[in-house]
């Protein structure tokens, strides 16, 4: 694993699987535990790559991350006094103008880029794809309940491949915003189908169940052999 500091952020990158050809890039947007999450699914991913079920790829992540600041696309005052600062565009600038150029100049990458995130990171992965036009993205248990999201998506439908997942119990919450996540995810799927190849996976359990495994399933679908 390669570790480095870039624009005052600690970053890491690791290639899974060997290849004599340039490989796709996965950007993991799942907070400061991203390296730990990768460690929990690394062996499974390597086995699937060896079996020919997944292409070799480079995966990268960075921090520190303030979820309510860095993984929200615009300002929102949530329930219980929670403030979402809406600074995702600043993080996208870091990805586009610092992280990607650095990795592309030093490693053998194919040009395919897939941001994959969890929760608010899942919202931001899809937002990043809409804004920057990557090859695709993965939104695992994405916070698509975020007010204004569906209106934004209608105006910025992306191409490529989009993976959506949601736990079956996630919409069963008393939070007046988050309880809309089921309907918002289904509506997002309908909208995305107009421009992209999209899949939706209903996961068992609530929001905090098998987070690394949910991310792993998104990677496998996005990087299935061509």
């Amino acid at each position: 694993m390669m570790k480095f500091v870039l624009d005052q952020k600690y970053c890491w990158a690791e290639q899974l699987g060997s290849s004599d050809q340039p490989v796709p890039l996965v950007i993991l947007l799942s907070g400061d535990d991203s390296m730990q999450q990768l460690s929990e699914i690394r062996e499974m991913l390597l086995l699937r790559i060896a079996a020919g079920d997944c292409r070799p790829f480079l995966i990268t992540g960075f921090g520190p991350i303030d979820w309510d600041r860095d993984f929200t696309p615009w300002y929102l005052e949530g329930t219980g006094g929670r403030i979402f600062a809406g600074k995702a565009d600043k993080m996208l600038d870091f990805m586009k103008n610092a992280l990607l150029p650095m990795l592309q100049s030093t490693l053998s990458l194919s040009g395919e880029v897939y941001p994959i995130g969890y929760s608010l990171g899942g919202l931001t992965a899809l937002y990043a794809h809409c804004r920057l036009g990557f090859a695709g993205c993965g939104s695992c248990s994405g916070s698509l309940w975020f007010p204004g999201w569906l209106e934004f998506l209608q105006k910025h439908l992306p191409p490529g491949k989009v993976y959506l997942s949601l736990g079956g119990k996630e919409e069963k919450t008393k939070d007046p915003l988050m309880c809309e996540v089921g309907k918002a995810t289904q509506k997002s799927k309908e909208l995305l189908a107009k421009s992209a190849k999209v899949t939706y996976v209903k996961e068992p359990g609530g929001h905090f169940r098998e987070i690394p495994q949910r991310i792993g399933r998104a990677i496998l679908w996005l990087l299935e052999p061509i």
Side-chain angles (χ1 to χ4, degrees), residues 79 82 84 145 170-173 175-182:
T79 55
R82 188 175 179 184
F84 301 95
W145 51 263
E170 293 195 51
E171 61 186 327
K172 297 176 182 179
T173 172
D175 188 291
L177 293 177
M178 297 179 187
C179 68
E180 296 296 318
V181 68

Side-chain angles (χ1 to χ4, degrees), residues 5-192:
V5 176
L6 190 64
D7 286 2
Q8 299 182 329
K9 295 185 183 295
Y10 63 81
C11 309
W12 59 269
E14 180 178 354
Q15 181 165 327
L16 296 187
S18 60
S19 175
D20 56 4
Q21 300 294 324
V23 298
L25 172 67
V26 169
I27 303 176
L28 190 53
L29 303 177
S30 60
D32 296 338
D33 294 332
S34 58
M35 280 191 292
Q36 175 61 34
Q37 290 164 0
L38 174 61
S39 72
E40 294 187 37
I41 55 175
R42 181 186 285 107
E43 183 176 354
M44 179 273 291
L45 291 170
L46 288 172
L47 287 172
R48 297 294 292 272
I49 291 170
D53 299 328
C54 178
R55 290 178 286 156
F57 63 96
L58 185 82
I59 186 167
T60 187
F62 56 88
I65 293 293
D66 181 320
W67 286 76
D68 292 354
R69 180 191 66 203
D70 301 324
F71 284 166
T72 50
W74 43 80
Y75 182 86
L76 172 69
E77 296 182 9
T79 55
R82 188 175 179 184
I83 299 296
F84 301 95
K87 300 298 182 181
D89 282 330
K90 184 176 181 179
M91 192 196 67
L92 264 57
D93 287 341
F94 167 76
M95 289 166 50
K96 178 182 179 181
N97 299 315
L99 182 64
L100 284 174
M102 184 272 181
L103 294 174
Q104 291 166 342
S105 67
T106 56
L107 300 167
S108 182
L109 300 178
S110 67
E112 286 181 71
V113 179
Y114 299 93
I116 299 177
Y118 196 85
S119 191
L120 284 170
L123 170 69
T124 300
L126 189 47
Y127 177 70
H129 182 37
C130 292
R131 289 294 308 273
L132 301 180
F134 295 122
C137 70
S139 178
C140 303
S141 293
S143 300
L144 306 186
W145 51 263
F146 204 80
W149 165 250
L150 292 175
E151 292 79 3
F152 171 85
L153 181 60
Q154 285 180 315
K155 298 177 181 178
H156 301 87
L157 291 174
K161 299 177 68 176
V162 178
Y163 180 97
L164 302 175
S165 72
L166 189 68
K169 296 182 179 180
E170 293 195 51
E171 61 186 327
K172 297 176 182 179
T173 172
K174 295 180 180 180
D175 188 291
L177 293 177
M178 297 179 187
C179 68
E180 296 296 318
V181 68
K183 295 177 183 178
T185 302
Q186 289 293 339
K187 182 60 177 179
S188 294
K189 177 190 174 184
E190 294 171 9
L191 291 171
L192 288 162

